[in-house]
Amino acid sequence: MIGLGAGGIAVGASLQTGVNRALAPVRGLGDVLPAAGGFRYYSVVGSVRERTADEYRLAVSGMVGRTRAFTIPELGALKQTQVTRDFQCVTGWRVPGVAWAGVALPDLLDAVGASPEATAVRFRSFDGVYSESLTMEQARRPDVLIATRMLGGPVTHDHGGPVRLFVAPMYGYKSLKWLGAIEVTDKVVSGYWERRGYDVDAWVGRSNGRDDEPT
Ligand SMILES: Nc1nc2c(c(=O)[nH]1)N[C@H]1C(S)=C(S)[C@@H](COP(=O)(O)O)O[C@H]1N2
Ligand SMILES: [Mo]
């Protein structure tokens, strides 16, 4: 956790070496065989048990009016939002113009009655290991999606389906795969890669994203 933030080109390069080293042994395949469209499939655990669309539930708890577990049809009944954006991994690969669809996080937060006192949102993967957090200000952006569709079809298991996060303005590591639970909370907790040296605020190409226009 050395010298993150401003002036981080040299620092970023060494961290990038770190992430490549860390990713390669657990998921060598992704590094060797780029997936169709230029994606690499990443998982920090060896294999993740597939959840069918029928059995899937998204638990939303914490500082909410009512704890809920959303089925896929229930997510589908909420307002649907589409976002098309480049997908950028911090290690360097990028997939241009990926189309995503699902529930914008602000709409989900409204649906559960997120408390105005809450200042952060935490996400957990059903892989049992990976987690991520956003500040409430970040989570309220309309280009942060609870994604159920990508590239014109359902989110496949290898891409973190049936439901994953897509944080459009940030590096790929914020876009948690196999989303299992969301907790509305009052503190930002460092996620998997952030405990290993990456910025919690992972804006692509700028120090903050407040001037970015969502599409
Ligand atoms: N649960 C989980 N989510 C994750 C990761 C992971 O290893 N496990 N890797 C992250 C990183 S570093 C990237 S770049 C993207 C990769 O998404 P993809 O595997 O669909 O290409 O997922 C992110 N979300
Ligand atoms: Mo990444």
Side-chain angles (χ1 to χ4, degrees):
M1 303 287 275
I2 2 136
L4 293 176
I9 291 182
V11 172
S14 67
L15 290 173
Q16 184 166 322
T17 310
V19 78
N20 280 327
R21 264 206 312 275
L23 287 169
V26 285
R27 193 67 179 184
L29 190 65
D31 286 331
V32 179
L33 300 172
F39 273 99
R40 290 158 192 232
Y41 297 124
Y42 280 166
S43 175
V44 296
V45 302
S47 77
V48 178
R49 185 179 72 81
E50 194 160 339
R51 299 267 164 109
T52 65
D54 280 352
E55 70 183 312
Y56 180 82
R57 298 290 182 278
L58 172 59
V60 188
S61 67
M63 300 170 70
V64 296
R66 185 161 76 94
T67 294
R68 282 192 62 177
F70 290 88
T71 63
I72 304 254
E74 284 167 345
L75 290 173
L78 297 175
K79 182 185 161 202
Q80 301 295 296
T81 296
Q82 299 177 17
V83 174
T84 298
R85 210 68 74 76
D86 296 353
F87 191 89
Q88 173 80 57
C89 175
V90 73
T91 61
W93 56 270
R94 185 170 66 97
V95 186
V98 181
W100 301 83
V103 180
L105 186 52
D107 293 328
L108 189 86
L109 293 171
D110 288 344
V112 295
S115 163
E117 323 274 86
T119 54
V121 181
R122 188 163 189 212
F123 307 89
R124 288 173 206 275
S125 172
F126 63 75
D127 70 10
V129 172
Y130 207 90
S131 70
E132 260 302 338
S133 281
L134 294 171
T135 66
M136 186 56 78
E137 187 187 2
Q138 295 162 358
R140 284 280 177 192
R141 291 178 59 111
D143 59 355
V144 176
L145 286 191
I146 307 303
T148 52
R149 298 180 61 78
M150 76 183 276
L151 301 168
V155 179
T156 61
H157 176 69
D158 284 343
H159 276 307
V163 178
R164 77 178 288 173
L165 194 61
F166 176 56
V167 181
M170 295 192 179
Y171 284 114
Y173 65 85
K174 299 300 287 191
S175 292
L176 174 143
K177 298 167 71 169
W178 305 294
L179 177 61
I182 295 179
E183 187 190 353
V184 178
T185 175
D186 58 6
K187 65 173 193 299
V188 168
V189 179
S190 291
Y192 183 88
W193 285 117
E194 293 145 15
R195 289 193 295 275
R196 289 157 179 80
Y198 282 85
D199 273 315
V200 175
D201 295 322
W203 306 109
V204 175
R206 58 185 177 277
S207 55
N208 73 68
R210 279 167 210 171
D211 54 354
D212 187 51
E213 286 298 319
T215 56

